[in-house]
Amino acid sequence: MILHSMESLLKSGEPSAILGAISTGLDQSDEAPFWRQKSLPLCEAILSVLIPLREQHLLFDPEGKGHSELTRELFLRWCDLYSLKTLAFTLAKSNHLGKLTRTKIHTDTYQPIDLERLGKYLSSYSVNLENEMVDFPTTNYNLHIGMTTLITKILQGKL
């Protein structure tokens, strides 16, 4: 069921519905509770910015290329901790300037996006939100690789 509805949820669903489907997948997985507890906050943080971008028709990938729809593949691209950090800085700069920056999308319309949830999430993994050049611990990056593997299985309906 999740396999067939996840694409449509990502394309047009509310964040709560998307998170509900992911949560159901996590609950049904045979993964250790540790992974389930870590993965849902990651999904919440990502959706907190991707859904507003989707609603503004301004979705883009980590390379800055525009996308017309929020897909599993695009969502998974943002599960990478380094990419998510870059997204936070891109949106912070865009919010400050009042226009989308650091992407290949050219638009005159941009509504600032609330970065509070994403910022709290990144801070909890020792991501410096003041200086983009400051690195974070490798162990946190590796942890996100594990979470991404689990989320990939859920989004692909392989659990």
Side-chain angles (χ1 to χ4, degrees):
M1 180 175 128
I2 291 175
L3 174 64
H4 299 295
S5 65
M6 188 55 71
E7 280 297 318
S8 62
L9 282 173
L10 288 171
K11 288 178 184 173
S12 61
E14 295 294 319
S16 59
I18 299 167
L19 289 170
I22 293 171
S23 180
T24 298
L26 288 168
D27 290 343
Q28 294 174 352
S29 76
D30 60 354
E31 297 292 333
F34 169 82
W35 290 110
R36 292 193 303 264
Q37 293 167 350
K38 296 287 185 186
S39 298
L40 198 55
L42 171 60
C43 293
E44 284 180 303
I46 294 169
L47 289 171
S48 74
V49 294
L50 289 187
I51 296 300
L53 286 170
R54 181 190 74 187
E55 291 170 355
Q56 295 184 54
H57 306 287
L58 295 175
L59 288 167
F60 57 93
D61 61 27
E63 291 77 33
K65 180 182 173 214
H67 287 259
S68 60
E69 297 178 326
L70 179 54
T71 62
R72 291 186 293 236
E73 293 78 14
L74 183 58
F75 183 90
L76 292 169
R77 296 284 313 277
W78 291 116
C79 287
D80 175 78
L81 188 58
Y82 181 79
S83 295
L84 200 54
K85 170 187 162 181
T86 302
L87 178 61
F89 278 94
T90 297
L91 294 178
K93 185 173 184 175
S94 298
N95 285 352
H96 178 73
L97 295 175
K99 64 179 184 175
L100 188 59
T101 62
R102 298 170 52 164
T103 72
K104 296 173 184 156
I105 299 172
H106 302 288
T107 182
D108 292 329
T109 60
Y110 174 80
Q111 295 297 313
I113 294 174
D114 183 355
L115 299 176
E116 183 178 355
R117 183 171 284 151
L118 178 58
K120 284 181 182 179
Y121 179 82
L122 291 172
S123 292
S124 73
Y125 284 95
S126 303
V127 174
N128 184 313
L129 297 175
E130 299 295 321
N131 184 345
E132 190 172 5
M133 297 302 129
V134 174
D135 212 354
F136 47 81
T138 303
T139 54
N140 290 344
Y141 184 81
N142 292 338
L143 177 65
H144 278 76
I145 292 171
M147 287 188 278
T148 300
T149 300
L150 176 57
I151 294 167
T152 300
K153 290 179 189 176
I154 290 167
L155 294 181
Q156 293 177 344
K158 293 183 178 179
L159 287 179

